[in-house]
Amino acid sequence: MKSQKISTQFFVNYLIIFFLILTLVLTTFLLHNTYTSIVENDLIIDVDKLIDDFYNYDLKTAAKNQKFTSDDYIEVVNEDYEIIDIYNSPKNIGYKYTHKELNKQVYSNNYYEYYLFYIEDTDNFILLHMNPIEQYTEVILLFIVFFIVVFFVSLIVYAKVSSEKIVIPIKKLVNGIEKISKGDYDSKIEFNATNELDLLKNSINQMSVKIKNEINLREKSEDNRKKLILNISHDVKTPLTNIIGYSQTLINEKDLSMDDLQSSIKIINTNGLLANKLINELFELSKLEMNEEMFSTENTDICELLRKKLIEYVSEFEDKNITYNFNIPSENITLNLNVIKFERAIDNLIQNSIKYNGSNFDINITLEKNMDKITIIIEDTGIGIPKEYHDSIFEPMVRVESSRNRALGGTGLGLSITKHIIKKHGGNITLDPSYLDGCRFIITLS
Ligand code: ADP
């Protein structure tokens, strides 16, 4: 649909009113001219024939041979202006016009036109009473009344059409905004308009969708926060319970064997380390989330950084029979990096591969530069992450197999910390859903 501005709408309204008035004026003018000429034509009667016929026959025959209407009449008056013969006249024979009266009637009557003709060889006059003006005025009046009716009907119809284009949409907008303000974000404002109100409607509808999404997000994040607190409490509680239990045994049991003593202390130590790791990672994640830490960066050759990092893992890969394949360009590619944090992110991804896949699998690490975009791909041919976790795997405390994960010393915070670190570098990390042979994490930086 072609868009039309409200100003254009008003302009069209004024134009239509202008043309209606112009039509009235022009038509009245034309009618006036047409009728005047008709009337004038009607008045041109054959006076000579009239007089001839009057001479030869009588007034009635003379009148019948002319185009008189039923309202017209003829009087014959003598030199003293006394009526001596009549045709259709309301006056009687013998009525005597005063000089003044006749003069006034001949020249100044508004409704009748009078024509006075002298009849040669006599001292008589023929007085024609023609009645064209009244007819003409009636037609004009009728036309004006008809036009005013048409004008107002057109105005009412047009006002209705215009209101459908402006007033009704405004009412619907107001209703829609009221609904949105009451929290009904699902209701859509609907009307067809081709002017600015259509843009306003679309913006309000979009705003309502955005508010709804924001609220959903806020509710989701509130849910996540509650889940996180629950998970943290659970994860801290388990090692602490173990620590308390085993330390209690050490306090109560005086005659424990050396082996039992050793194993209890070992359990206390392992659980203490686990709780400590959890608290440290939570602390790290919170600092990243809350922007509390100074995130200083330095210009670093990312290829060199990756090469050094991978070398650290080579012996572990070989011990665990992990086939590694590094594809890192030999050129210098410098980026502003916080080296410690960035290495931490890469460590998380490689250590996850080792931790969750054990041994006998492949790990491929690639760095590509395309224009200004740098892509790091870390993929393995391990067990992979089930599809249903793909959307949430970067959220804190999301673990595929919680119990197995805990047993492996996982806190469920690693990928979340990694994502925050990459984001702080202006990049992004995703899990490639099209890769089905294991896990493929793709980091993009620019
Ligand atoms: P954690 O810090 O406990 O290792 P992460 O956030 O790093 O937790 O990982 C979340 C979950 O993703 C883990 O529980 C694990 O199941 C899964 N995961 C991560 N990386 C891999 C991988 N390379 N192969 C298989 N599973 C993985």
Side-chain angles (χ1 to χ4, degrees), residues 352 355-356 380 393 398-400 405 410-415 439:
N352 272 355
K355 189 160 64 178
Y356 297 110
D380 61 50
I393 200 69
V398 174
R399 290 170 283 204
V400 176
N405 181 290
T411 57
L413 296 173
L415 285 181
C439 277

Side-chain angles (χ1 to χ4, degrees), residues 71-299:
D71 288 333
D72 299 335
Y73 58 95
I74 313 173
E75 289 159 347
V76 180
V77 291
N78 62 20
E79 58 189 324
D80 297 327
Y81 306 139
E82 181 186 343
I83 298 175
I84 54 168
D85 199 354
I86 54 168
Y87 169 76
N88 213 18
S89 171
K91 295 191 186 74
N92 295 322
I93 293 175
Y95 178 85
K96 195 171 173 184
Y97 285 105
T98 62
H99 191 269
K100 204 173 151 198
E101 187 186 9
L102 196 65
N103 256 355
K104 190 178 153 215
Q105 288 199 356
V106 170
Y107 299 111
S108 63
N109 193 294
N110 283 332
Y111 300 102
Y112 287 80
E113 284 197 0
Y114 294 83
Y115 298 88
L116 193 64
F117 300 104
Y118 174 66
I119 310 169
E120 268 178 53
D121 302 335
T122 69
D123 291 327
N124 298 338
F125 300 90
I126 284 187
L127 192 55
L128 294 180
H129 298 256
M130 309 295 287
N131 184 20
I133 295 172
E134 194 175 36
Q135 260 183 343
Y136 156 74
T137 317
E138 262 175 22
V139 172
I140 293 287
L141 268 175
L142 214 85
F143 170 75
I144 290 176
V145 170
F146 170 75
F147 191 90
I148 287 173
V149 171
V150 171
F151 183 73
F152 276 104
V153 169
S154 316
L155 278 191
I156 290 166
V157 171
Y158 200 75
K160 224 178 135 39
V161 172
S162 302
S163 91
E164 263 170 32
K165 285 186 178 168
I166 298 171
V167 180
I168 293 173
I170 289 178
K171 276 187 186 162
K172 290 193 174 174
L173 284 173
V174 171
N175 281 344
I177 292 170
E178 267 174 16
K179 280 187 187 169
I180 292 170
S181 67
K182 283 178 188 157
D184 180 2
Y185 303 107
D186 286 323
S187 74
K188 283 240 166 313
I189 304 174
E190 279 179 45
F191 57 78
N192 289 327
T194 50
N195 47 34
E196 288 92 336
L197 296 177
D198 198 51
L199 298 178
L200 191 58
K201 173 193 80 179
N202 291 340
S203 305
I204 293 175
N205 283 341
Q206 279 167 14
M207 181 189 78
S208 157
V209 172
K210 267 193 184 165
I211 295 177
K212 193 184 167 194
N213 290 345
E214 281 294 319
I215 288 176
N216 286 347
L217 266 178
R218 215 186 301 153
E219 280 172 0
K220 201 177 158 215
S221 100
E222 184 62 15
D223 275 358
N224 286 346
R225 200 183 59 82
K226 284 178 189 160
K227 262 191 226 157
L228 188 65
I229 292 174
L230 198 78
N231 285 332
I232 293 168
S233 320
H234 180 260
D235 278 38
V236 175
K237 192 174 164 260
T238 314
L240 286 184
T241 311
N242 286 337
I243 292 169
I244 292 166
Y246 281 93
S247 55
Q248 202 65 55
T249 314
L250 290 182
I251 294 166
N252 296 340
E253 300 283 332
K254 304 281 181 228
D255 44 355
L256 273 176
S257 70
M258 202 53 190
D259 280 356
D260 288 343
L261 199 72
Q262 275 285 323
S263 102
S264 295
I265 290 171
K266 228 178 175 176
I267 292 169
I268 290 171
N269 182 259
T270 312
N271 283 285
L273 287 174
L274 190 62
N276 190 44
K277 188 182 175 198
L278 184 68
I279 301 295
N280 281 342
E281 289 196 351
L282 260 177
F283 187 52
E284 191 179 355
L285 182 66
S286 304
K287 278 195 293 185
L288 283 166
E289 274 182 344
M290 300 192 60
N291 283 328
E292 278 213 331
E293 213 176 19
M294 268 276 290
F295 198 81
S296 55
T297 57
E298 56 192 281
N299 218 328

